[in-house]
Amino acid sequence: MNDTTTTVKNTNDIKQLKKEESQQRRNGVIGGVFLIMIGALLLLGQFISFDSAGLLFLPLLATAFIIWGVLTRNAGLFIPGGILGGIGLGAALMELPMLAHLEEGGIFLLSFAAGWVLIPILSAIFTKETHWWPLIPAGILGFIGIAVITNGFLLNALSLVGQGWPLILIAVGLYIILRPAKAKAWLNDEEAKPDLQ
């Protein structure tokens, strides 16, 4: 029975090694294709005069990272894909004439925030691990982007909050001072009750 168990273990180990080797080979091929695509785009950009080629570079690079991440199920590749995609989207949107009346900085920051939001979405869909931390910079960038687009209304509100934050410290301090007294009174009430057992 031990010989059979050992044989099964060895067979499973061999299958696992073959699977890992196959996955490493596939990742290497995908990485090689990725580098060839970037090199071809850069080489083509030297010979073809295309006014908007610069606007396409970052979205294409982001797409390549995202496809690479999907194929390899590697959540780490969604990080540069999302960031470059957000920056590329922001650069492209700032060139649109229909958005010229809005603050360009706000448009760019909202697009950049969208790129950060893309990271947890893609990692949740295509990998076993989900990266939630990119929602923090996305929220900050999104809030600042909205504040810039609203011509500073939210920035003025934030300034008022900045001046009033000491009131929060005072309120927390009062809560800390008064709460132990209530807890102590409650404990005294519990101790005063007779034990019915």
Side-chain angles (χ1 to χ4, degrees):
M1 182 122 179
N2 283 341
D3 290 337
T4 307
T5 306
T6 306
T7 305
V8 170
K9 271 187 170 179
N10 289 340
T11 305
N12 287 339
D13 289 344
I14 291 171
K15 286 180 182 177
Q16 183 65 26
L17 285 173
K18 285 184 179 181
K19 184 178 176 182
E20 289 174 7
E21 286 176 5
S22 172
Q23 187 173 3
Q24 286 177 349
R25 174 83 175 127
R26 186 184 70 193
N27 290 352
V29 169
I30 293 170
V33 169
F34 178 70
L35 291 174
I36 291 169
M37 286 174 36
I38 292 173
L41 282 173
L42 292 173
L43 185 63
L44 191 62
Q46 292 178 5
F47 297 108
I48 295 176
S49 177
F50 182 51
D51 293 340
S52 299
L55 291 177
L56 294 177
F57 179 73
L58 288 178
L60 288 174
L61 190 59
T63 303
F65 272 111
I66 291 169
I67 290 171
W68 188 6
V70 168
L71 293 176
T72 61
R73 306 282 187 203
N74 184 351
L77 294 169
F78 296 136
I79 297 169
I83 292 171
L84 293 173
I87 293 171
L89 176 65
L93 288 177
M94 288 188 329
E95 295 296 319
L96 293 177
M98 64 184 123
L99 298 177
H101 67 282
L102 295 174
E103 282 288 329
E104 287 182 350
I107 294 170
F108 179 81
L109 287 172
L110 287 174
S111 300
F112 194 27
W116 284 94
V117 169
L118 188 61
I119 298 168
I121 292 171
L122 291 173
S123 68
I125 294 171
F126 294 108
T127 66
K128 293 178 183 175
E129 57 183 324
T130 303
H131 292 293
W132 295 109
W133 62 265
L135 295 176
I136 296 169
I140 294 168
L141 290 168
F143 178 78
I144 295 171
I146 291 171
V148 170
I149 286 178
T150 59
N151 292 324
F153 171 75
L154 289 178
L155 291 176
N156 291 337
L158 190 59
S159 174
L160 289 175
V161 169
Q163 292 172 349
W165 72 268
L167 293 174
I168 295 171
L169 289 178
I170 293 169
V172 170
L174 286 172
Y175 176 77
I176 290 172
I177 291 170
L178 296 176
R179 187 161 190 268
K182 287 182 180 180
K184 196 174 191 180
W186 180 77
L187 284 174
N188 289 337
D189 288 343
E190 289 293 321
E191 290 172 359
K193 290 182 181 177
D195 192 12
L196 299 175
Q197 293 179 357

